[in-house]
Amino acid sequence: MGQPVASRGRAATPTLGKAMLNKYARAFFTRVLTPFAAFLIRRGVSPDTVTLLGTAGVMAGALVFYPRGEFFWGTIVITLFVFSDLVDGNMARQLGRSSRWGAFLDSTLDRVADGAIFGGFALWYAGNGDNNVLCAVSIFCLASGQVVSYTKARGESIGLPVAVNGLVERAERLVISLVAAGLAGLHTFGVPGIQVLLPIALWIVAVGSLVTLIQRVVTVRRESAEADAAAAAQNSGATP
Ligand SMILES: CCCCCCCC/C=C\CCCCCCCC(=O)OC[C@H](COP(=O)(O)O[C@@H]1[C@H](O)[C@H](OP(=O)(O)O)[C@@H](O)[C@H](O)[C@H]1O)OC(=O)CCCCCCC/C=C\CCCCCCCC
Ligand SMILES: Nc1ccn([C@@H]2O[C@H](COP(=O)(O)O)[C@@H](O)[C@H]2O)c(=O)n1
Ligand SMILES: [Mg+2]
Ligand SMILES: [Mg+2]
């Protein structure tokens, strides 16, 4: 509880196992998006509004276009809105108003947006995409992504540092899936063979999420054993 609210959470997490995008791309996008965040602040827009509208836009792009197999336009709409996830926190920091409520809202709506994206893929494969295996892989990506995030949130809620982010965290899941979906969507404009990229990406995200889940569970197991041992040692020292 010693840290200021603004520095709590992922930025304060030790970098062991830190995934590539969070490490290298976040600083770049922070620089690029800061003027836009400042512009929204001047217009009187609040970080919470950006969080809510961004999530609504991602959901609309995913659930209107993906179930119909319109991967190009779905990805364009999602891409326009998904960067709101970097803008909202940027605005809160510029305003000096990073809050517990904002952190909760941001993370909770991340889960909703991810559900819509992978749910959109699953609905396509359950319908006209007609592929039960890829429908199952999409559902696995959806569920495993949620559980990966839950392991960290739950571990931190029981007082552990959970000092690992793992191989494939949210930014990787999104970039791999969205780039592949956007390119696969070019098939409808006559680019041959390219639709295979989406199944490949879904398999990569599924396997990567499983590896990440194992990395986080192993870390929580080790950290909780260490914390329990430290507490037991302290208790035995306290009682004669
Ligand atoms: C002709 C071609 C047509 C094709 C069109 C393609 C268009 C481009 C396609 C895709 C672009 C996708 C960009 C996706 C960017 C996603 C950025 C983002 O929102 O990242 C989210 C993340 C937020 O981090 P937080 O720490 O705030 O969130 C935490 C996280 O959710 C935790 O989850 P966990 O990791 O545990 O699973 C939760 O636990 C926690 O609660 C929550 O708080 O931001 C970052 O991580 C920062 C890094 C951002 C990196 C962005 C990289 C964008 C890279 C490339 C985009 C351009 C690609 C263009 C390709 C063009 C192809 C032709
Ligand atoms: N509506 C919001 C959204 C976010 N925050 C704060 O930003 C942090 C997340 O930063 P990102 O760059 O990953 O968006 C979050 O933990 C909050 O501290 C906020 O206050 N209000
Ligand atoms: Mg955010
Ligand atoms: Mg977010």
Side-chain angles (χ1 to χ4, degrees):
M1 293 300 278
Q3 299 166 21
V5 171
S7 70
R8 258 188 232 132
R10 304 180 68 77
T13 304
T15 55
L16 175 67
K18 194 164 188 170
M20 300 301 283
L21 286 177
N22 215 354
K23 194 170 177 181
Y24 296 110
R26 182 185 269 278
F28 170 76
F29 281 101
T30 297
R31 267 200 310 279
V32 170
L33 293 171
T34 292
F36 180 60
F39 167 78
L40 292 178
I41 290 170
R42 284 197 301 277
R43 301 298 302 236
V45 179
S46 76
D48 287 2
T49 303
V50 172
T51 308
L52 287 164
L53 287 181
T55 306
V58 170
M59 289 177 71
L63 295 176
V64 170
F65 293 99
Y66 283 176
R68 298 199 298 222
E70 294 174 12
F71 294 116
F72 179 82
W73 292 115
T75 304
I76 294 295
V77 173
I78 293 170
T79 302
L80 286 176
F81 284 95
V82 79
F83 284 100
S84 65
D85 195 15
L86 298 173
V87 173
D88 55 3
N90 189 319
M91 290 171 70
R93 285 185 286 278
Q94 286 193 47
L95 286 164
R97 282 207 328 239
S98 297
S99 63
R100 289 179 177 80
W101 162 251
F104 172 84
L105 184 70
D106 185 316
S107 293
T108 302
L109 293 187
D110 283 353
R111 309 285 85 77
V112 174
D114 293 358
I117 291 171
F118 291 101
F121 292 139
L123 285 169
W124 161 249
Y125 287 118
N128 286 345
D130 193 22
N131 188 319
N132 287 343
V133 172
L134 290 175
C135 178
V137 174
S138 302
I139 292 171
F140 182 86
C141 289
L142 194 169
S144 58
Q146 307 279 357
V147 177
V148 160
S149 298
Y150 177 80
T151 53
K152 197 164 193 82
R154 185 68 179 122
E156 288 173 350
S157 80
I158 55 174
L160 301 172
V162 196
V164 62
N165 286 338
L167 182 68
V168 177
E169 55 180 334
R170 181 166 185 257
E172 282 76 12
R173 294 198 294 275
L174 290 181
V175 170
I176 293 168
S177 311
L178 294 176
V179 170
L183 291 172
L186 293 177
H187 177 64
T188 36
F189 298 99
V191 180
I194 202 158
Q195 65 276 26
V196 73
L197 289 179
L198 182 56
I200 292 172
L202 289 172
W203 277 107
I204 291 172
V205 171
V207 173
S209 298
L210 184 60
V211 171
T212 309
L213 182 57
I214 293 168
Q215 287 176 297
R216 290 191 182 187
V217 169
V218 167
T219 301
V220 169
R221 176 87 183 111
R222 179 179 46 75
E223 289 179 354
S224 53
E226 285 166 4
D228 288 346
Q234 207 173 20
N235 285 343
S236 65
T239 46

